[in-house]
Amino acid sequence: MTSKTEELLKRIEELPDTEKAMLIDIILAKLDKPDADLEKLWADEATKRWTAYKDGRLKTLPYDEVMARYRNR
């Protein structure tokens, strides 16, 4: 941890429980907001993959085969 993080942790530990809970709510709300740039990148990638699938350029696997590979890990 950096010294700034350690300092922040000490300050948080000194807060009353109700203020800690409010801080957690604020942090979670900020983390829950979608990143518009990331959303656009993913939408573009999804479109490229769907187009490749429709054009037959993307190899696909049946669901059962994918799950069998996952179970065998």
Side-chain angles (χ1 to χ4, degrees), residues 19-33:
E19 289 187 31
K20 287 178 190 172
M22 288 174 28
L23 182 59
I24 290 169
D25 286 342
I26 291 167
I27 291 170
L28 290 175
K30 288 189 177 288
L31 291 173
D32 199 30
K33 291 183 181 175

Side-chain angles (χ1 to χ4, degrees), residues 59-73:
K59 180 183 175 195
T60 60
L61 300 173
Y63 171 81
D64 293 336
E65 187 177 334
V66 171
M67 293 310 294
R69 288 183 185 186
Y70 176 75
R71 285 187 207 106
N72 293 330
R73 284 185 170 185

Side-chain angles (χ1 to χ4, degrees), residues 8-67:
L8 182 59
L9 181 58
K10 286 178 188 176
R11 291 178 64 191
I12 291 170
E13 288 172 345
E14 294 171 358
L15 292 173
D17 289 344
T18 54
E19 289 187 31
K20 287 178 190 172
M22 288 174 28
L23 182 59
I24 290 169
D25 286 342
I26 291 167
I27 291 170
L28 290 175
K30 288 189 177 288
L31 291 173
D32 199 30
K33 291 183 181 175
D35 180 325
D37 293 335
L38 185 59
E39 292 290 324
K40 180 169 179 1
L41 286 172
W42 176 243
D44 292 345
E45 180 65 22
T47 300
K48 288 178 192 173
R49 291 181 188 194
W50 179 247
T51 301
Y53 170 75
K54 289 192 311 184
D55 293 344
R57 295 180 285 116
L58 184 66
K59 180 183 175 195
T60 60
L61 300 173
Y63 171 81
D64 293 336
E65 187 177 334
V66 171
M67 293 310 294

